[in-house]
Amino acid sequence: MKTAVYPGSFDPITLGHLNIIKRTARIFDKVYVCVMKNSDKNPLFTREERVELIQRIVKHLDNVEVETADGLLVEYAKSKGARVVVKGLRAVSDFDWEFQMALANRKIDPAIDTLFMAASEKYTFLSSTVVKEMAKYNADLRDFVPREIIDDIVKKMESKR
Ligand code: ADP
């Protein structure tokens, strides 16, 4: 069985992330979307909330599971029997950091490969940070995130005001 891990902070999940998840799910037998510990000290959603939001969106994708992990990504991948970590690339600016991480991960465990997937041109501008910035000013979020989670973002933003 071919298994992949798609890691990220997903604070919150965007249509760009969802596009990568769907395409990855078409290539692999099993995909684990893994909500990693956020380097952002002040995230909008807790990790448990982020897991729940993603689960709600991918529930119709039979071969996708959503989990959370501390620790090293390669350890998590190994524990799932995954040999591939998928990363989305939006622009050259993503490349430097992602390439460095891919090499570092390979150093730790040469059995795990990183696969870069080109972002859909529709979503190259999109990041969780952009979504949070737009939500702050009550912008229409329908072009940015799946509709099922718009209310959650609006409510969360209000609770933080
Ligand atoms: P961000 O806060 O930049 O959205 P994440 O850590 O949540 O970052 O992203 C997880 C993964 O998804 C990374 O591999 C990232 O490059 C990728 N990604 C983020 N946004 C998009 C997008 N709009 N299209 C494709 N891939 C994306």
Side-chain angles (χ1 to χ4, degrees):
M1 184 155 96
K2 298 262 181 258
T3 305
V5 170
Y6 177 48
S9 37
F10 308 109
D11 185 36
I13 184 170
T14 69
L15 289 173
H17 295 134
L18 181 60
N19 176 263
I20 299 282
I21 293 171
K22 283 182 177 164
R23 289 159 64 200
T24 305
R26 285 205 295 264
I27 300 171
F28 290 89
D29 301 309
K30 181 94 195 177
V31 180
Y32 289 94
V33 177
C34 184
V35 180
M36 306 297 289
K37 214 168 179 166
N38 205 335
S39 48
D40 182 354
K41 297 276 187 299
N42 196 12
L44 184 61
F45 291 99
T46 66
R47 276 202 292 165
E48 292 67 31
E49 287 169 334
R50 282 178 256 161
V51 168
E52 196 278 313
L53 293 177
I54 304 170
Q55 273 169 344
R56 207 187 300 162
I57 289 156
V58 303
K59 64 172 187 279
H60 63 288
L61 300 171
D62 292 340
N63 59 339
V64 177
E65 263 187 59
V66 190
E67 294 189 345
T68 172
D70 297 303
L72 281 173
L73 176 60
V74 289
E75 294 297 336
Y76 173 76
K78 219 165 23 184
S79 76
K80 293 290 154 191
R83 288 209 42 219
V84 174
V85 170
V86 172
K87 291 298 190 98
L89 284 186
R90 283 161 291 192
V92 202
S93 50
D94 278 343
F95 182 79
D96 265 354
W97 171 248
E98 294 295 358
F99 194 59
Q100 238 179 317
M101 285 308 292
L103 295 183
N105 282 334
R106 189 151 74 210
K107 204 88 186 152
I108 300 169
D109 190 340
I112 310 270
D113 265 314
T114 302
L115 196 76
F116 293 113
M117 189 174 276
S120 157
E121 67 285 357
K122 280 192 294 196
Y123 303 125
T124 44
F125 71 95
L126 195 49
S127 69
S128 300
T129 309
V130 165
V131 169
K132 284 182 269 195
E133 202 54 27
M134 293 296 158
K136 225 188 259 178
Y137 301 104
N138 304 316
D140 183 347
L141 297 179
R142 281 178 298 182
D143 285 339
F144 303 144
V145 299
R147 287 172 190 224
E148 301 95 302
I149 69 165
I150 291 180
D151 281 351
D152 299 76
I153 298 172
V154 170
K155 277 195 196 113
K156 183 62 99 172
M157 273 294 170
E158 278 168 4
S159 75
K160 299 247 170 180
R161 279 204 181 106

